[in-house]
Short mmCIF file of all heavy atoms in Angstrom, two decimals:
data_model
loop_
_atom_site.label_atom_id
_atom_site.label_comp_id
_atom_site.label_asym_id
_atom_site.label_seq_id
_atom_site.Cartn_x
_atom_site.Cartn_y
_atom_site.Cartn_z
N ARG A 4 -22.53 -44.55 -73.04
CA ARG A 4 -22.40 -43.50 -72.02
C ARG A 4 -21.26 -43.83 -71.09
O ARG A 4 -20.98 -45.00 -70.83
CB ARG A 4 -23.69 -43.40 -71.21
CG ARG A 4 -24.82 -42.77 -71.99
CD ARG A 4 -26.10 -42.78 -71.18
NE ARG A 4 -27.16 -42.10 -71.92
CZ ARG A 4 -28.44 -42.10 -71.56
NH1 ARG A 4 -28.81 -42.76 -70.47
NH2 ARG A 4 -29.32 -41.46 -72.28
N ILE A 33 -22.35 -33.83 -73.50
CA ILE A 33 -22.58 -33.83 -72.05
C ILE A 33 -24.10 -33.89 -71.84
O ILE A 33 -24.79 -32.89 -72.02
CB ILE A 33 -21.97 -32.56 -71.40
CG1 ILE A 33 -20.46 -32.51 -71.67
CG2 ILE A 33 -22.26 -32.55 -69.89
CD1 ILE A 33 -19.82 -31.15 -71.42
N VAL A 34 -24.61 -35.08 -71.52
CA VAL A 34 -26.07 -35.29 -71.45
C VAL A 34 -26.60 -35.26 -70.01
O VAL A 34 -27.81 -35.34 -69.79
CB VAL A 34 -26.50 -36.58 -72.18
CG1 VAL A 34 -26.21 -36.48 -73.67
CG2 VAL A 34 -25.84 -37.82 -71.57
N GLY A 35 -25.69 -35.16 -69.05
CA GLY A 35 -26.06 -34.99 -67.64
C GLY A 35 -24.90 -34.30 -66.95
O GLY A 35 -23.74 -34.61 -67.25
N GLN A 36 -25.20 -33.39 -66.03
CA GLN A 36 -24.10 -32.68 -65.35
C GLN A 36 -24.61 -32.06 -64.06
O GLN A 36 -25.66 -31.43 -64.05
CB GLN A 36 -23.56 -31.58 -66.27
CG GLN A 36 -22.46 -30.73 -65.65
CD GLN A 36 -21.77 -29.86 -66.69
OE1 GLN A 36 -20.70 -30.19 -67.17
NE2 GLN A 36 -22.39 -28.75 -67.05
N ARG A 37 -23.85 -32.23 -62.99
CA ARG A 37 -24.22 -31.64 -61.69
C ARG A 37 -22.98 -31.35 -60.88
O ARG A 37 -22.07 -32.16 -60.83
CB ARG A 37 -25.13 -32.62 -60.94
CG ARG A 37 -26.07 -31.92 -59.98
CD ARG A 37 -27.21 -32.83 -59.52
NE ARG A 37 -26.72 -33.86 -58.65
CZ ARG A 37 -26.71 -35.16 -58.96
NH1 ARG A 37 -27.15 -35.57 -60.13
NH2 ARG A 37 -26.26 -36.03 -58.10
N VAL A 75 -22.46 -37.18 -67.25
CA VAL A 75 -22.66 -38.32 -68.14
C VAL A 75 -22.32 -37.85 -69.55
O VAL A 75 -22.87 -36.85 -70.02
CB VAL A 75 -24.11 -38.83 -68.10
CG1 VAL A 75 -24.27 -40.03 -69.04
CG2 VAL A 75 -24.51 -39.20 -66.68
N ILE A 128 -22.51 -44.38 -63.23
CA ILE A 128 -23.56 -43.40 -63.56
C ILE A 128 -24.70 -43.52 -62.54
O ILE A 128 -25.21 -42.52 -62.04
CB ILE A 128 -24.07 -43.60 -65.01
CG1 ILE A 128 -23.00 -43.15 -66.01
CG2 ILE A 128 -25.38 -42.85 -65.24
CD1 ILE A 128 -23.26 -43.56 -67.46
N SER A 129 -25.05 -44.77 -62.19
CA SER A 129 -26.20 -44.98 -61.28
C SER A 129 -25.90 -44.48 -59.86
O SER A 129 -26.83 -44.29 -59.07
CB SER A 129 -26.59 -46.45 -61.26
OG SER A 129 -25.65 -47.20 -60.52
N GLN A 130 -24.62 -44.27 -59.54
CA GLN A 130 -24.29 -43.74 -58.21
C GLN A 130 -24.60 -42.24 -58.09
O GLN A 130 -24.69 -41.70 -56.99
CB GLN A 130 -22.82 -43.99 -57.88
CG GLN A 130 -22.51 -45.48 -57.73
CD GLN A 130 -21.07 -45.74 -57.35
OE1 GLN A 130 -20.52 -45.08 -56.49
NE2 GLN A 130 -20.44 -46.70 -57.99
N PHE A 131 -24.75 -41.56 -59.23
CA PHE A 131 -24.95 -40.11 -59.19
C PHE A 131 -26.17 -39.62 -59.97
O PHE A 131 -26.59 -38.47 -59.78
CB PHE A 131 -23.70 -39.39 -59.73
CG PHE A 131 -22.49 -39.66 -58.92
CD1 PHE A 131 -21.51 -40.55 -59.35
CD2 PHE A 131 -22.32 -39.03 -57.68
CE1 PHE A 131 -20.39 -40.80 -58.59
CE2 PHE A 131 -21.20 -39.28 -56.91
CZ PHE A 131 -20.23 -40.17 -57.36
N PHE A 132 -26.72 -40.43 -60.87
CA PHE A 132 -27.79 -39.96 -61.75
C PHE A 132 -28.92 -40.97 -61.81
O PHE A 132 -28.68 -42.18 -61.81
CB PHE A 132 -27.26 -39.77 -63.18
CG PHE A 132 -26.27 -38.64 -63.33
CD1 PHE A 132 -24.90 -38.88 -63.19
CD2 PHE A 132 -26.70 -37.35 -63.63
CE1 PHE A 132 -23.98 -37.84 -63.33
CE2 PHE A 132 -25.79 -36.32 -63.77
CZ PHE A 132 -24.43 -36.56 -63.62
N THR A 133 -30.17 -40.45 -61.93
CA THR A 133 -31.29 -41.29 -62.33
C THR A 133 -31.51 -41.03 -63.82
O THR A 133 -31.03 -40.02 -64.35
CB THR A 133 -32.57 -40.92 -61.57
OG1 THR A 133 -32.93 -39.58 -61.93
CG2 THR A 133 -32.36 -40.97 -60.06
N GLU A 134 -32.24 -41.89 -64.48
CA GLU A 134 -32.50 -41.71 -65.93
C GLU A 134 -33.11 -40.34 -66.22
O GLU A 134 -32.82 -39.73 -67.24
CB GLU A 134 -33.43 -42.82 -66.46
CG GLU A 134 -32.73 -44.02 -67.10
CD GLU A 134 -31.60 -43.70 -68.09
OE1 GLU A 134 -31.86 -42.99 -69.09
OE2 GLU A 134 -30.47 -44.16 -67.88
N ALA A 135 -33.95 -39.86 -65.28
CA ALA A 135 -34.62 -38.57 -65.49
C ALA A 135 -33.64 -37.39 -65.54
O ALA A 135 -33.94 -36.34 -66.10
CB ALA A 135 -35.65 -38.34 -64.40
N ASP A 136 -32.44 -37.58 -64.94
CA ASP A 136 -31.42 -36.51 -64.93
C ASP A 136 -30.61 -36.47 -66.22
O ASP A 136 -29.78 -35.59 -66.40
CB ASP A 136 -30.39 -36.73 -63.81
CG ASP A 136 -31.00 -36.71 -62.43
OD1 ASP A 136 -31.94 -35.93 -62.22
OD2 ASP A 136 -30.52 -37.47 -61.57
N ILE A 137 -30.79 -37.49 -67.08
CA ILE A 137 -29.96 -37.62 -68.27
C ILE A 137 -30.83 -37.31 -69.48
O ILE A 137 -31.85 -37.95 -69.71
CB ILE A 137 -29.38 -39.05 -68.39
CG1 ILE A 137 -28.58 -39.40 -67.12
CG2 ILE A 137 -28.50 -39.18 -69.63
CD1 ILE A 137 -28.17 -40.86 -67.02
N VAL A 138 -30.44 -36.27 -70.21
CA VAL A 138 -31.24 -35.83 -71.36
C VAL A 138 -30.37 -35.94 -72.60
O VAL A 138 -29.49 -35.12 -72.84
CB VAL A 138 -31.76 -34.39 -71.17
CG1 VAL A 138 -32.64 -33.99 -72.34
CG2 VAL A 138 -32.51 -34.27 -69.86
N GLY A 139 -30.59 -36.99 -73.37
CA GLY A 139 -29.75 -37.26 -74.53
C GLY A 139 -30.14 -36.47 -75.77
O GLY A 139 -31.08 -35.70 -75.74
#
Side-chain angles (χ1 to χ4, degrees):
R4 287 176 177 171
I33 301 164
V34 296
Q36 177 168 260
R37 208 164 70 247
V75 180
I128 289 168
S129 74
Q130 294 182 44
F131 298 103
F132 292 91
T133 64
E134 265 314 302
D136 298 325
I137 303 170
V138 183

